[in-house]
Amino acid sequence: MTNQLVLPTEHTLTGTSVTFGSIAYGCWRFAGTSVNEATAKIETALQSGFTLIDTADVYGTTWPDGFGEAEALLGEVIAAQKSLRGEMILATKGGIVPGLPYNSTRDYLISACEASLSRLKTDVIDLYQIHRPDLLTPFEEVASALNDLLAAGKIRAAGVSNFTPAQTSALQKFMNRPLVSHQPEFSCLQTEPITDGVLDQAQESKMVAFAWSPLAGGQLITGIVESAGAADKIARLIPVLDRIAHENSCDRAAVALAFLLAHPARVVPIVGTQNLERIKASASALAVKMTRRDWYDILEASNGAPMP
Ligand SMILES: NC(=O)c1ccc[n+]([C@@H]2O[C@H](COP(=O)([O-])OP(=O)(O)OC[C@H]3O[C@@H](n4cnc5c(N)ncnc54)[C@H](OP(=O)(O)O)[C@@H]3O)[C@@H](O)[C@H]2O)c1
């Protein structure tokens, strides 16, 4: 019997033949560079095995005026080097509308998805995710938009982000095909998905659980605290992460990513660095030999208390 936790190597979206590597690359911070620089990031991510590229219609250099910029830049990358589209699994999101703030009505979602397809310069989106739950649109109507987008072949699969398990089940009730993914914020600093039912539902329903801001937006690496009330937690986490990093001859970021990968929900961290060397280095997370005790040490440091 070994205490070493097993890290996943590949994922398939339920009910599809869409497969991808166990770490994904995210485009929240992607806009605002030349097409050449952007291409280098996508190529580096793909070469590192991060074959799912996650973006959203709302990502741009500024809020709210940058709406569409990240997708448009990714579209330029795809147009400039057409073979890249075949090498990536393309995931995007819709439903956030600056000022509203959310709209998941049927007509809006269909038009938002068509606008994403056009900016991304592609015929099909592999995974279309509702970015945040719109509390004012009935689940039946959201499902009707997703069902039609699936039937029309505009998207290969549908998922949710920042949804509770109850919201996800309610939406699933009206879907013709399974919802294939959750995307909560999840890191050593933000561990709620472990206890709020999202990762349980992901396992139960064979949904892929992506983790957004897996390094807490860099706070776990820089130690610079941006989240309110997180200073003590970060101060407790850093020495534990560094001890495991030292034992594995890797950096702290790799350990923080391995903590997510080691969860039995087979979590897919979406790394967000824009630095080519750091994109490559993120792959070393897959070589971390994390023990059961290491994993609970990290969780206990985050909680500030031993497990009961
Ligand atoms: N669904 C949602 O609501 C939602 C919300 C937010 C994000 N997301 C997704 O999650 C992705 C990742 O989010 P994120 O960018 O906040 O992720 P993250 O990996 O937690 O943070 C990335 C940030 O950490 C910094 N960083 C500093 N040192 C680093 C190191 N050694 N290694 C790696 N990064 C380091 C990066 O700066 P450098 O670039 O200088 O390395 C970058 O600013 C996004 O791109 C997006 O796809 C989804």
Side-chain angles (χ1 to χ4, degrees):
M1 192 178 77
T2 171
N3 273 325
Q4 192 181 314
L5 302 175
V6 178
L7 308 187
T9 52
E10 201 182 52
H11 297 270
T12 302
L13 297 179
T14 293
T16 75
S17 55
V18 174
T19 59
F20 52 92
S22 43
I23 295 176
Y25 184 64
C27 297
W28 182 24
R29 306 171 195 270
F30 184 70
T33 70
S34 69
V35 175
N36 280 347
E37 285 170 281
T39 303
K41 291 178 210 171
I42 297 299
E43 284 178 336
T44 303
L46 295 173
Q47 284 157 12
S48 304
F50 311 165
T51 46
L52 185 136
I53 307 295
D54 179 73
T55 189
D57 58 7
V58 75
Y59 294 164
T61 48
T62 54
W63 174 268
D65 300 334
F67 191 103
E69 286 178 356
E71 281 189 341
L73 181 57
L74 189 52
E76 293 298 322
V77 169
I78 290 168
Q81 207 171 311
K82 297 220 162 40
S83 62
L84 286 179
R85 177 65 188 93
E87 292 173 37
M88 72 174 74
I89 300 304
L90 185 51
T92 193
K93 317 179 198 78
I96 294 185
V97 183
L100 280 185
Y102 311 130
N103 190 351
S104 285
T105 54
R106 184 191 147 77
D107 288 353
Y108 176 76
L109 277 186
I110 288 175
S111 69
C113 182
E114 281 166 356
S116 288
L117 283 164
S118 157
R119 279 189 293 267
L120 289 163
K121 301 195 194 317
T122 189
D123 301 335
V124 61
I125 289 162
D126 297 307
L127 173 62
Y128 193 68
Q129 304 150 103
I130 306 295
H131 205 152
R132 285 191 177 270
D134 172 14
L135 306 178
L136 295 176
T137 304
F139 293 112
E140 188 167 10
E141 182 175 342
V142 181
S144 135
L146 294 175
N147 285 334
D148 282 4
L149 288 168
L150 284 161
K154 292 182 178 170
I155 64 175
R156 290 204 163 92
V160 294
S161 179
N162 305 298
F163 271 48
T164 66
Q167 289 166 335
T168 308
S169 298
L171 178 58
Q172 180 61 70
K173 198 91 188 155
F174 300 104
M175 293 288 302
N176 296 336
R177 304 237 293 261
L179 290 167
V180 299
S181 63
H182 264 296
Q183 189 180 133
E185 181 180 8
F186 183 31
S187 67
C188 306
L189 191 67
Q190 168 52 276
T191 58
E192 257 175 50
I194 295 173
T195 51
D196 68 7
V198 166
L199 297 184
D200 303 327
Q201 185 176 50
Q203 291 184 70
E204 183 182 9
S205 304
K206 297 210 174 298
M207 299 168 78
V208 172
F210 294 98
W212 66 258
S213 289
L215 302 177
Q219 293 176 91
L220 291 168
I221 309 307
T222 61
I224 298 167
V225 180
E226 289 162 16
S227 308
D232 288 352
K233 224 184 225 199
I234 291 173
R236 287 193 303 269
L237 278 164
I238 285 176
V240 177
L241 295 172
D242 283 350
R243 192 258 304 156
I244 302 167
H246 179 73
E247 288 166 9
N248 280 273
S249 307
C250 65
D251 63 16
R252 191 191 303 155
V255 178
L257 296 175
F259 172 77
L260 308 175
L261 289 160
H263 189 279
R266 305 178 80 243
V267 172
V268 179
I270 310 174
V271 298
T273 177
Q274 300 301 301
N275 174 297
L276 298 186
E277 290 311 313
R278 295 206 269 263
I279 296 173
K280 281 187 224 161
S282 305
S284 60
L286 292 163
V288 172
K289 293 181 171 41
M290 181 168 295
T291 67
R292 186 168 279 273
R293 188 58 257 169
D294 291 335
W295 195 90
Y296 278 112
D297 282 343
I298 295 171
L299 187 60
E300 289 179 350
S302 186
N303 291 344
M307 300 304 286

